[in-house]
Amino acid sequence: ANANGAVDLYYDNVKSFSTMSNGIQIEGTEGAAGILQLYADEGDDNGDKWRFVAETNGILNLQDYGSGSRYNNIRFTGHTGGVILFQDNDAKFQTQSDGVRVEDGGKLYLQNDSENAASYIYNAESSGESNFIFNTYDGSSSADRWEITKDGHFIPQANDSYDIGASSYRVRNIY
């Protein structure tokens, strides 16, 4: 302990923890990440274990240990201001300078007001290509309804099943 009330803790002769007037500071060794581990409920179950990892490249990860391995849940990408959200340690959603991105052919779900049914949009193509599929839910099942192809075509996903417009809301012109 220092005379001014601060406490410094060392591990293997390297300062790794300090108290400050407004909190604490955790330091990684030279060239290594700084890690803060948080355990709920005495840490007696894997799901109780969380940690923050400050990498040496400016990235901060929030990780859990629920499955018995460390998994990223959220990654803050430092000076670029980005955030990446993970599902089962696989990046699914991230911010970027011009918007957001859904990863790995994932689906963008749009819930209704009651949050009991969702429609979604997804990219149905493989690497290097992009076809948009629009899927809706009718109360009992979901179905792909329309596709916009990489060539710009607008194609129904079932033959002779869908209308464009309705009796009181018609399309004026199609060119």
Side-chain angles (χ1 to χ4, degrees):
N2 298 322
N4 65 2
V7 174
D8 295 332
L9 297 177
Y10 290 77
Y11 180 81
D12 201 17
N13 262 351
V14 176
K15 185 168 73 167
S16 57
F17 182 93
S18 303
T19 61
M20 304 179 303
S21 63
N22 60 350
I24 63 169
Q25 179 174 321
I26 296 172
E27 300 176 25
T29 57
E30 181 62 33
I35 300 173
L36 169 64
Q37 297 191 121
L38 302 171
Y39 286 13
D41 187 34
E42 299 176 343
D44 56 357
D45 300 301
N46 288 341
D48 298 339
K49 300 173 183 177
W50 290 83
R51 74 180 185 178
F52 288 91
V53 179
E55 298 180 11
T56 59
N57 58 2
I59 291 174
L60 175 66
N61 295 297
L62 173 59
Q63 301 175 335
D64 77 86
Y65 196 69
S67 66
S69 297
R70 293 284 175 204
Y71 283 95
N72 282 331
N73 294 83
I74 302 174
R75 174 174 286 164
F76 303 94
T77 58
H79 67 280
T80 63
V83 174
I84 303 171
L85 302 179
F86 291 79
Q87 170 67 36
D88 206 13
N89 211 37
D90 189 22
K92 294 297 180 188
F93 185 87
Q94 69 178 291
T95 61
Q96 53 191 51
S97 63
D98 60 348
V100 297
R101 186 163 99 187
V102 176
E103 297 284 346
D104 294 339
K107 299 173 181 172
L108 178 61
Y109 287 87
L110 307 167
Q111 292 282 17
N112 65 8
D113 286 345
S114 301
E115 295 187 14
N116 60 5
S119 297
Y120 57 87
I121 303 167
Y122 67 101
N123 182 355
E125 284 297 324
S126 58
S127 179
E129 298 183 353
S130 181
N131 285 1
F132 256 171
I133 300 284
F134 295 84
N135 180 291
T136 60
Y137 184 77
D138 67 5
S140 61
S141 65
S142 67
D144 292 346
R145 306 295 180 176
W146 294 94
E147 176 180 15
I148 299 176
T149 70
K150 60 187 169 281
D151 302 318
H153 302 294
F154 187 58
I155 301 172
Q157 294 301 285
N159 190 37
D160 199 26
S161 297
Y162 307 122
D163 299 323
I164 297 177
S167 62
S168 57
Y169 289 97
R170 296 182 298 271
V171 175
R172 190 177 83 181
N173 293 312
I174 296 179
Y175 298 96

